[in-house]
Amino acid sequence: MTTPQTRTPPPAAIRPGPAPWQRRFYEVIFEADTPAGKTFDVALLALILLSVAVVMLESVDNATLGEMHPRLRAWLRGIEWGITVLFTLEYLARIACVARPSRYVLSFFGLVDLLAVLPTYLGLFVSGTHVLATVRTLRLLRVFRVFKMGQHVSEANALLKALRRTWPKITVFLSVIFCAIVILGTVMYLIERDHGSGFDSIPRSVYWAIVTMTTVGYGDIAPRTIAGQSLAAVIMLFGYAIIIVPTGLFSAEVMNYARPPAGPPPGARTCPRCDAARHDAEARYCNRCGERLGEPAAD
Amino acid sequence: MTTPQTRTPPPAAIRPGPAPWQRRFYEVIFEADTPAGKTFDVALLALILLSVAVVMLESVDNATLGEMHPRLRAWLRGIEWGITVLFTLEYLARIACVARPSRYVLSFFGLVDLLAVLPTYLGLFVSGTHVLATVRTLRLLRVFRVFKMGQHVSEANALLKALRRTWPKITVFLSVIFCAIVILGTVMYLIERDHGSGFDSIPRSVYWAIVTMTTVGYGDIAPRTIAGQSLAAVIMLFGYAIIIVPTGLFSAEVMNYARPPAGPPPGARTCPRCDAARHDAEARYCNRCGERLGEPAAD
Amino acid sequence: MTTPQTRTPPPAAIRPGPAPWQRRFYEVIFEADTPAGKTFDVALLALILLSVAVVMLESVDNATLGEMHPRLRAWLRGIEWGITVLFTLEYLARIACVARPSRYVLSFFGLVDLLAVLPTYLGLFVSGTHVLATVRTLRLLRVFRVFKMGQHVSEANALLKALRRTWPKITVFLSVIFCAIVILGTVMYLIERDHGSGFDSIPRSVYWAIVTMTTVGYGDIAPRTIAGQSLAAVIMLFGYAIIIVPTGLFSAEVMNYARPPAGPPPGARTCPRCDAARHDAEARYCNRCGERLGEPAAD
Amino acid sequence: MTTPQTRTPPPAAIRPGPAPWQRRFYEVIFEADTPAGKTFDVALLALILLSVAVVMLESVDNATLGEMHPRLRAWLRGIEWGITVLFTLEYLARIACVARPSRYVLSFFGLVDLLAVLPTYLGLFVSGTHVLATVRTLRLLRVFRVFKMGQHVSEANALLKALRRTWPKITVFLSVIFCAIVILGTVMYLIERDHGSGFDSIPRSVYWAIVTMTTVGYGDIAPRTIAGQSLAAVIMLFGYAIIIVPTGLFSAEVMNYARPPAGPPPGARTCPRCDAARHDAEARYCNRCGERLGEPAAD
């Protein structure tokens, strides 16, 4: 009886329109329970991956692949345009078959569906921006959801809840880190700026501080003076010591979330005669005095 | 009744002076409950960000931005000086309107407010040091605090508590790491010094060991010999294996901190005769003196 | 009674054949309880390490070791071939002495044993592929298992269980990361492609995004423009903030796993009439049918 | 009564010899309770830091510091020799004033004290090895212990306990990683060896795999081909996903260590009349039927 709680219903439900053709379309496009719906989703998945691959391939420069055959380039463009047109039609179909189009259009996936087609058209006016079509990968989240992953969605929600509860703490934490990064970056700038080691401005030093604190460490900017390297070492050990903070906070948060609540379990009842508490939800008789308890049906 | 405990009152409270104008100033400058106070804080926030941005922009060298127009440079200097003067006046105003100026001046934020204005003046004598004005970012912490983030402060305190409790353990841990780093750095120096791979002194090798242990890994110094690379691999796996230690310690600490106190369980009762507490909800007799307790129905 | 549960019996048990010579072989080859079996395993361990070392040494190019003496090269080849032949014979012996050869051949270690000998033979036809013989290291897992590490296997299973339970959550998490990486990589490509900083195609930018998000940070590709470095900084802080998610999830999972099962508490009893279980230690009456339970003294 | 347990007594106690002068020496050298002892320890601490600093400074090459004045070099050598002689005398004094010299010599700190003086003498025969004198940093651990950090030692022990309990699991984990690293390194070698990207031998590729898995990422070796970068990306995500494993295991271990044991608390008793269990250690009467329990003194 408690499992439904874990399945969080969508905040603003999107429903098919009244007309029968709308319902039929809706079943195919939005759901995956019918064979047609499943086929549609698989096709969609394939198209998304294909189109993203095409866009990426287009961007691979000649230096890497050797002069691409112009025909191949034409083919890629053609495929991308074809898929874009299909996605546009699908988008219109989705709008057509839902009860409240506005509600769909403004939903997360509604916006994603729109963003998925815009870049290609935008590319007609602003050259090069069509590569933004890779935003289509976001559509994978829908398919990923539609498939057999109902509980995953609820898990994602649980994840978000835990993150949201941890967020304030982490915000405090990050804002302190932010100050440390700005100030340490400035000091490193003062120390290293005249040694051609890449600290040629405060923003760049701050960038270096972030690269270092997060232990990414590109090495494109690295201290050379003894003083700079000493301070850098301190910063690293500092960053090494503090990465534990958000991890610990979040782990504890997830733990508390996973832990069963203290006190009597949900649905525990008390005996009307001897007041012994903590009878579990299915108990029919008091386990102290044998008194008959109210029917479990009661709760 | 326990929530107040989480709100830690400031150790040395800063209060407005007796004069009415002092109280009025105090409301505006130190508090954010009145519209005037809120406006003041927002303006302060904007000024801080602006001044930090200006200082950073000034430091951006010509190589990056192209020869800056001298007028722009003059503008930046002007803005910085203007803000510095404003901050100086604000600092004096804060001193003027509190009851015990010394208490404010020596408080954390009092020192920060002073440090926020000093570098610019210092820059008049020691060229270049004015960039230290970025220390102003620390002032953000105040605004950040003044706004609606009361509980964040208490969270920060909880964080600090947990960190402080974990600190001794982590100190032991880090001191062992320190020894390991010094010794391993020396060995790497012996192995690599003649191969022009950057290990040209023990301090530098130690710096490398820190860069490696913390998984920052710039690559400006990297072993080239088989022996050096083998030892480096061991060091990495070692560092990889030990980063878990502080994280685990801190997580556990936060957990214990988050766990409900071991005190009397919910529904615990006290004996009317001997006041022995901690009788669980089902207890019928005092387990100290045998006195019959009120019926569990009582709770 | 619950400890056996922790020891997971192999899904498809591999047993010796009926003939006595099979049983004898089986004892030596598959088990490690007899002196002969122990000796065999130690020899196997030594051979595996030796052969992997040989293959690695062969691959060390002249630039590093100086022109290897042709005789040394011949020796290495000889040793590798010798070990390969031995492993082949061992493989056949294993097939010969088990009851159901197919079951062994298709088992994990059966496949590993086959893969351990194939590359050398494959090297006869496709030059260079013989180095794949390093896949033999997988055989170490068997020896490692055969030795005194029975409980380690069960620990590994516990590990896998926890991982499997955490997997769905982490899948959701990683798929979101995947989208972020693709999109951020595309944006970085748009920003940096004309600055010769290595972002010369979307796949490469995505590769960079992965290198950055995972805090590996080679530095072979690194942003140079202010805009690129700013976005990179955001990506790093983002990656820094999210690495806590899987860690927290897994820690919590292991914790719950380590926590005593939610099943009947120690000392729980079963009703003699209706067999309802889960009565706690103090229960006097069955909470299903009201039947009087044996005195708690019973346990 | 349980606190003493936390203070782990040294396995093999080192005691002063019978003679009064031995006891006096022992107080000064081994203990820090008397003013003399404290002074001695502070002096020791200073000497250790000084000598390590000297050894490091000596190693700083001319390229960095400019041609060092020969007299400075002589001074450094002199200081190092002086400290070495002092440490030698101290070592002999320690041997002289303990009851069982062998027990001290073979103790951890006994070996450290010996290792602290050997390198300088060794440097007379094998040039350059005297830099190993940095092993003296290990002596800091003693001073660190002698000071006011009694409980830190016990904390270190608790740490070691938790680590030891987690070790088997982590061993299994690391051995699997080891196999993955060897095999992936080999594959990368096959893919990248002809592209001058540094994968010029399997050991080097394995080294690269370790550098990548541990997210150190020097960048001195980095894949260039599309195939290599794709595999590298997989390796990184893999390493990113698995670093959570040991962390989770260790956190859980520390948690379980910190958590109060499940089941009836230690010293819980059962009522002789109604068999109600879980009376805490101080209970005098059964909280079910009021029966008098055995005196708590009993346990």
Side-chain angles (χ1 to χ4, degrees):
Chain A
M1 290 303 173
T2 60
T3 34
Q5 290 182 336
T6 62
R7 282 195 57 260
T8 58
I14 294 171
R15 293 196 191 67
W21 67 268
Q22 286 180 305
R23 208 165 291 105
R24 221 172 305 108
F25 262 62
Y26 187 89
E27 270 185 10
V28 176
I29 303 181
F30 280 91
E31 296 174 356
D33 311 330
T34 60
K38 275 207 162 8
T39 325
F40 179 84
D41 283 319
V42 178
L44 195 59
L45 178 59
L47 277 183
I48 296 169
L49 291 176
L50 175 60
S51 65
V52 172
V54 164
V55 173
M56 285 192 169
L57 193 53
E58 266 186 292
S59 80
V60 175
D61 66 344
N62 309 334
T64 316
L65 284 193
E67 184 53 71
M68 252 193 280
H69 195 295
R71 186 172 293 165
L72 168 56
R73 203 178 278 285
W75 263 103
L76 295 177
R77 298 291 298 159
I79 297 172
E80 186 190 344
W81 269 107
I83 294 174
T84 307
V85 171
L86 285 177
F87 282 173
T88 316
L89 295 176
E90 180 212 352
Y91 182 63
L92 299 175
R94 285 181 187 273
I95 292 180
C97 70
V98 293
R100 290 211 195 70
S102 66
R103 180 172 282 179
Y104 158 71
V105 171
L106 299 179
S107 71
F108 171 71
F109 280 118
L111 295 172
V112 167
D113 295 340
L114 182 59
L115 282 174
V117 293
L118 281 190
T120 317
Y121 297 116
L122 186 64
L124 292 178
F125 311 103
V126 189
S127 90
T129 53
H130 72 91
V131 295
L132 282 174
T134 53
V135 75
R136 284 169 186 168
T137 43
L138 279 177
R139 301 200 67 191
L140 293 176
L141 293 180
R142 159 186 271 126
V143 182
F144 171 78
R145 184 193 67 170
V146 169
F147 273 126
K148 70 210 165 311
M149 311 211 173
Q151 85 279 19
H152 286 14
V153 176
S154 69
E155 262 150 4
N157 292 332
L159 220 71
L160 286 178
K161 280 212 199 72
L163 258 182
R164 207 172 299 124
R165 270 199 307 280
T166 330
W167 210 240
K169 283 207 198 65
I170 293 184
T171 314
V172 177
F173 173 73
L174 285 182
S175 60
V176 173
I177 301 297
F178 172 75
C179 292
I181 281 174
V182 170
I183 293 167
L184 290 171
T186 310
V187 176
M188 284 303 285
Y189 168 70
L190 283 178
I191 296 177
E192 289 279 331
R193 64 178 158 186
D194 304 330
H195 298 77
S197 47
F199 294 82
D200 45 22
S201 75
I202 295 184
R204 192 144 288 175
S205 302
V206 169
Y207 165 72
W208 168 85
I210 294 174
V211 170
T212 302
M213 273 255 185
T214 54
T215 77
V216 171
Y218 285 134
D220 53 349
I221 309 175
R224 288 191 191 157
T225 64
I226 295 281
Q229 292 182 335
S230 313
L231 180 56
V234 173
I235 295 177
M236 285 169 217
L237 290 175
F238 180 54
Y240 183 80
I242 61 179
I243 193 170
I244 71 176
V245 174
T247 316
L249 292 175
F250 186 75
S251 308
E253 191 49 65
V254 178
M255 276 305 304
N256 294 338
Y257 187 70
R259 180 189 300 149
R269 282 139 28 168
T270 306
C271 170
R273 182 163 69 183
C274 72
D275 291 311
R278 293 175 164 286
H279 295 99
D280 61 40
E282 292 83 3
R284 291 217 197 78
Y285 296 86
C286 170
N287 60 14
R288 289 278 171 287
C289 65
E291 173 74 7
R292 182 165 188 74
L293 303 172
E295 273 312 312
D299 46 314
Chain B
M1 289 303 175
T2 60
T3 34
Q5 289 182 338
T6 62
R7 281 195 56 261
T8 56
I14 294 169
R15 292 196 193 66
W21 66 268
Q22 285 179 306
R23 208 167 290 103
R24 222 172 304 108
F25 263 61
Y26 187 89
E27 270 184 10
V28 176
I29 303 181
F30 280 91
E31 296 173 357
D33 311 329
T34 61
K38 276 205 159 12
T39 325
F40 180 84
D41 283 319
V42 178
L44 196 57
L45 178 58
L47 276 183
I48 294 170
L49 291 177
L50 174 61
S51 65
V52 171
V54 163
V55 173
M56 285 192 169
L57 192 53
E58 266 187 292
S59 79
V60 175
D61 67 343
N62 308 335
T64 317
L65 284 192
E67 184 54 72
M68 256 194 278
H69 194 294
R71 186 171 292 164
L72 170 56
R73 201 179 278 285
W75 263 103
L76 295 178
R77 300 289 298 159
I79 297 172
E80 186 189 345
W81 271 108
I83 295 173
T84 307
V85 170
L86 286 177
F87 282 175
T88 317
L89 297 176
E90 180 212 351
Y91 183 63
L92 299 175
R94 285 182 186 272
I95 293 180
C97 71
V98 294
R100 290 210 194 71
S102 65
R103 183 172 280 180
Y104 158 71
V105 171
L106 298 179
S107 71
F108 172 71
F109 281 117
L111 295 171
V112 168
D113 294 340
L114 182 58
L115 282 174
V117 294
L118 280 190
T120 317
Y121 296 116
L122 186 63
L124 293 178
F125 311 104
V126 190
S127 90
T129 54
H130 72 92
V131 295
L132 283 172
T134 53
V135 74
R136 284 169 187 168
T137 42
L138 280 177
R139 300 201 67 191
L140 293 176
L141 293 180
R142 160 187 270 125
V143 181
F144 171 79
R145 183 194 69 169
V146 169
F147 273 125
K148 70 210 164 313
M149 312 212 172
Q151 85 280 19
H152 285 15
V153 175
S154 68
E155 262 151 4
N157 292 332
L159 220 70
L160 286 178
K161 280 214 199 72
L163 257 182
R164 206 171 301 122
R165 269 201 308 279
T166 330
W167 211 239
K169 285 209 198 63
I170 294 185
T171 313
V172 177
F173 173 73
L174 285 183
S175 60
V176 174
I177 300 296
F178 172 76
C179 293
I181 281 174
V182 169
I183 293 167
L184 289 171
T186 309
V187 177
M188 284 302 285
Y189 168 69
L190 283 178
I191 296 176
E192 290 278 330
R193 63 178 159 186
D194 305 330
H195 298 78
S197 46
F199 294 82
D200 46 23
S201 75
I202 296 184
R204 192 144 287 174
S205 300
V206 169
Y207 165 73
W208 168 85
I210 294 174
V211 170
T212 301
M213 273 253 185
T214 54
T215 77
V216 170
Y218 284 135
D220 53 349
I221 309 175
R224 288 191 192 156
T225 64
I226 295 281
Q229 291 183 335
S230 313
L231 181 56
V234 173
I235 295 177
M236 284 169 216
L237 291 176
F238 180 53
Y240 183 80
I242 61 180
I243 193 169
I244 72 175
V245 174
T247 315
L249 291 175
F250 186 75
S251 308
E253 191 50 63
V254 177
M255 278 302 305
N256 294 338
Y257 187 70
R259 183 184 297 150
R269 281 141 28 171
T270 306
C271 170
R273 182 163 69 182
C274 72
D275 289 319
R278 294 173 162 286
H279 296 98
D280 61 40
E282 291 87 359
R284 296 217 194 81
Y285 297 88
C286 170
N287 61 14
R288 289 278 171 289
C289 64
E291 173 75 7
R292 182 164 188 74
L293 302 173
E295 273 311 312
D299 47 314
Chain C
M1 288 305 175
T2 60
T3 35
Q5 290 182 337
T6 62
R7 281 193 57 261
T8 57
I14 294 171
R15 293 198 191 64
W21 66 268
Q22 286 179 306
R23 208 166 290 104
R24 223 174 302 109
F25 263 64
Y26 186 87
E27 270 184 12
V28 177
I29 303 181
F30 279 91
E31 296 174 356
D33 311 329
T34 60
K38 274 206 163 9
T39 324
F40 180 84
D41 283 320
V42 178
L44 195 58
L45 178 59
L47 277 182
I48 295 169
L49 292 177
L50 174 61
S51 64
V52 172
V54 164
V55 174
M56 285 192 169
L57 192 53
E58 266 187 292
S59 79
V60 175
D61 66 345
N62 309 335
T64 316
L65 284 193
E67 184 53 71
M68 253 194 280
H69 195 294
R71 188 172 292 165
L72 169 57
R73 202 179 278 285
W75 263 103
L76 295 178
R77 299 290 298 158
I79 296 171
E80 186 190 345
W81 270 109
I83 294 173
T84 308
V85 170
L86 285 177
F87 283 174
T88 317
L89 295 177
E90 179 211 352
Y91 182 63
L92 298 176
R94 285 181 186 273
I95 292 180
C97 70
V98 293
R100 289 211 194 71
S102 65
R103 182 172 281 179
Y104 158 70
V105 172
L106 299 179
S107 70
F108 171 71
F109 280 117
L111 295 172
V112 167
D113 294 341
L114 182 58
L115 282 174
V117 293
L118 280 189
T120 317
Y121 296 116
L122 186 63
L124 293 178
F125 311 103
V126 190
S127 89
T129 53
H130 72 92
V131 296
L132 282 172
T134 52
V135 75
R136 286 169 185 168
T137 42
L138 280 176
R139 302 200 66 191
L140 293 177
L141 293 180
R142 160 187 269 126
V143 182
F144 170 78
R145 183 193 69 171
V146 170
F147 272 124
K148 71 209 163 312
M149 312 212 173
Q151 85 281 19
H152 286 14
V153 176
S154 69
E155 263 151 3
N157 292 332
L159 218 72
L160 286 178
K161 279 213 199 72
L163 258 182
R164 207 172 299 124
R165 270 200 307 281
T166 330
W167 212 239
K169 284 209 198 65
I170 293 186
T171 314
V172 177
F173 173 73
L174 285 182
S175 60
V176 173
I177 301 296
F178 173 76
C179 292
I181 281 174
V182 171
I183 293 167
L184 290 171
T186 309
V187 177
M188 285 302 286
Y189 167 70
L190 283 177
I191 296 177
E192 289 278 331
R193 63 179 158 186
D194 305 329
H195 298 77
S197 47
F199 294 82
D200 45 22
S201 75
I202 295 183
R204 193 144 287 175
S205 302
V206 170
Y207 165 73
W208 168 85
I210 295 174
V211 170
T212 302
M213 273 256 186
T214 54
T215 76
V216 171
Y218 284 135
D220 53 349
I221 308 175
R224 288 190 191 157
T225 64
I226 294 282
Q229 291 182 336
S230 313
L231 181 56
V234 173
I235 296 178
M236 285 169 217
L237 290 176
F238 179 53
Y240 183 80
I242 60 178
I243 193 170
I244 71 176
V245 174
T247 316
L249 291 176
F250 186 75
S251 308
E253 190 51 63
V254 178
M255 278 302 306
N256 295 338
Y257 187 70
R259 182 186 299 149
R269 280 141 27 169
T270 307
C271 171
R273 183 163 68 183
C274 72
D275 289 320
R278 292 173 163 287
H279 296 98
D280 60 39
E282 291 86 0
R284 294 219 194 80
Y285 296 88
C286 170
N287 60 14
R288 289 278 170 288
C289 64
E291 172 75 6
R292 181 165 188 72
L293 301 174
E295 276 307 314
D299 48 315
Chain D
M1 289 304 173
T2 60
T3 34
Q5 288 182 339
T6 63
R7 281 195 57 261
T8 56
I14 294 170
R15 293 197 191 66
W21 67 268
Q22 284 178 307
R23 207 166 292 104
R24 223 172 303 108
F25 262 63
Y26 187 89
E27 270 184 11
V28 176
I29 303 181
F30 280 90
E31 295 174 358
D33 311 330
T34 60
K38 274 205 160 10
T39 325
F40 180 84
D41 283 319
V42 177
L44 196 58
L45 177 58
L47 276 182
I48 295 169
L49 291 176
L50 174 61
S51 65
V52 172
V54 163
V55 174
M56 285 192 169
L57 192 52
E58 266 186 291
S59 79
V60 174
D61 67 342
N62 309 334
T64 316
L65 284 193
E67 184 53 72
M68 255 194 278
H69 196 296
R71 187 171 293 164
L72 169 57
R73 203 178 277 286
W75 263 103
L76 295 178
R77 300 290 298 161
I79 297 172
E80 186 190 346
W81 270 108
I83 294 174
T84 307
V85 171
L86 285 178
F87 283 174
T88 316
L89 296 177
E90 179 212 350
Y91 182 63
L92 298 176
R94 285 182 186 273
I95 293 180
C97 70
V98 293
R100 290 211 194 69
S102 67
R103 183 173 280 179
Y104 158 70
V105 172
L106 299 178
S107 71
F108 172 70
F109 281 117
L111 295 172
V112 167
D113 294 340
L114 182 58
L115 282 174
V117 293
L118 280 190
T120 317
Y121 297 116
L122 187 63
L124 293 178
F125 310 103
V126 190
S127 90
T129 54
H130 72 91
V131 296
L132 282 173
T134 52
V135 76
R136 283 167 187 171
T137 43
L138 280 177
R139 300 201 68 190
L140 293 175
L141 293 180
R142 159 186 272 126
V143 181
F144 170 79
R145 183 195 68 170
V146 169
F147 272 124
K148 70 209 165 313
M149 311 211 173
Q151 84 280 18
H152 285 13
V153 176
S154 69
E155 263 151 3
N157 291 332
L159 219 71
L160 286 178
K161 280 213 198 72
L163 258 182
R164 207 171 300 125
R165 269 200 307 280
T166 330
W167 211 240
K169 284 209 197 66
I170 293 185
T171 313
V172 178
F173 173 74
L174 284 183
S175 60
V176 174
I177 300 296
F178 172 76
C179 292
I181 281 175
V182 170
I183 293 167
L184 289 171
T186 309
V187 177
M188 285 301 286
Y189 168 70
L190 283 178
I191 296 176
E192 289 279 330
R193 63 179 158 186
D194 306 329
H195 297 78
S197 48
F199 294 83
D200 45 22
S201 75
I202 295 184
R204 193 145 287 174
S205 301
V206 170
Y207 165 73
W208 167 86
I210 294 174
V211 171
T212 301
M213 274 255 185
T214 55
T215 76
V216 171
Y218 284 135
D220 52 350
I221 308 175
R224 287 189 192 158
T225 64
I226 295 280
Q229 291 182 335
S230 313
L231 181 56
V234 173
I235 295 178
M236 284 169 217
L237 291 175
F238 180 53
Y240 183 80
I242 59 178
I243 193 170
I244 71 176
V245 174
T247 316
L249 292 176
F250 187 75
S251 309
E253 189 51 62
V254 178
M255 277 304 305
N256 294 339
Y257 189 67
R259 179 193 300 150
R269 280 142 27 171
T270 306
C271 171
R273 183 163 69 184
C274 73
D275 289 311
R278 293 177 165 288
H279 295 97
D280 60 40
E282 292 84 3
R284 293 218 196 76
Y285 296 87
C286 170
N287 61 14
R288 289 277 170 285
C289 64
E291 173 74 7
R292 182 167 189 73
L293 301 173
E295 276 309 314
D299 46 314

